[in-house]
Amino acid sequence: MEQAAPEDITALREAFGVDDGGESALGWEAVRAFEAEHGVVLPEPYRTFVAEVTDGSFQGPPEFGLVGLAELPSDWHSDGTDLKPAEPFPLTEAWLWEADESPFEDPEAVVDQVLNHGSLVLGTDGCAMNWHLVVTGPQRGHIWHITDVGALPFGAEFGHTTSAPGFAGWVRHWAAGKEWFDAESAQ
């Protein structure tokens, strides 16, 4: 099983200012219970973060804070019963369904899968602009920004940001005070 890099956990703890001895964390038993219930193994370092550091934070990221492992932002489109983290996340590249011609036979079904399959919602920037951590499928471990008009992967390899990919890269980017999509301004 993969392990979180100690330097990532240290950076995450510092970014969120958590020094409560793990009191705000879920603990390993709760994390394993969540994984068993949903048929997934959470990607590192997020897995260790919620087990040992904290389960959510009001300070962010994103704009309205990091929601807990089993929580959803207040502006979420449903009660959450349609979430299927064990089903593979369907995308491997950005897709703006409001602007692009769909590469899919049934685009509405794929939009539903993007919103509900293979990821956990980390939080919202408001107005249904949500950040997801992909937990199953080829994009496992990557962060995606999913809105009402499309979905965009986060990380320098995708060309929209200068940040490292994954949960630790996403948090470090936020902690550094950078704009989310800063690749254009870095050129």
Side-chain angles (χ1 to χ4, degrees):
M1 183 169 290
E2 66 183 316
Q3 301 252 331
E7 61 272 14
D8 284 344
I9 297 303
T10 298
L12 292 168
R13 186 174 275 114
E14 290 172 0
F16 286 95
V18 178
D19 192 18
D20 65 3
E23 288 183 31
S24 60
L26 282 179
W28 284 106
E29 186 176 321
V31 169
R32 288 184 190 107
F34 177 90
E35 291 174 331
E37 178 183 345
H38 296 284
V40 299
V41 174
L42 301 174
E44 291 291 358
Y46 180 76
R47 185 174 195 252
T48 298
F49 175 77
V50 296
E52 297 182 359
V53 180
T54 191
D55 181 34
S57 170
F58 291 112
Q59 69 175 353
E63 182 71 26
F64 292 98
L66 185 70
V67 298
L69 176 59
E71 297 173 13
L72 290 169
S74 60
D75 67 349
W76 190 248
H77 66 275
S78 73
D79 65 2
T81 57
D82 48 355
L83 298 177
K84 297 176 181 160
E87 294 292 323
F89 185 75
L91 300 180
T92 56
E93 59 186 48
W95 179 36
L96 298 175
W97 47 79
E98 290 292 319
D100 297 340
E101 187 170 316
S102 175
F104 303 103
E105 190 172 307
D106 186 355
E108 287 184 29
V110 178
V111 169
D112 183 64
Q113 291 171 10
V114 168
L115 292 170
N116 299 305
H117 290 189
S119 69
L120 302 175
V121 182
L122 296 174
T124 185
D125 283 332
C127 300
M129 296 185 297
N130 299 302
W131 292 93
H132 292 237
L133 171 64
V134 177
V135 297
T136 52
Q139 289 292 298
R140 184 179 186 277
H142 286 283
I143 303 293
W144 280 68
H145 191 235
I146 301 173
T147 71
D148 58 344
V149 299
L152 192 66
F154 184 82
E157 66 195 77
F158 302 108
H160 307 289
T161 183
T162 59
S163 176
F167 184 70
W170 182 69
V171 171
R172 282 184 172 116
H173 192 87
W174 163 77
K178 296 180 180 180
E179 293 293 322
W180 285 123
F181 304 104
D182 65 344
E184 290 78 29
S185 61
Q187 295 176 355

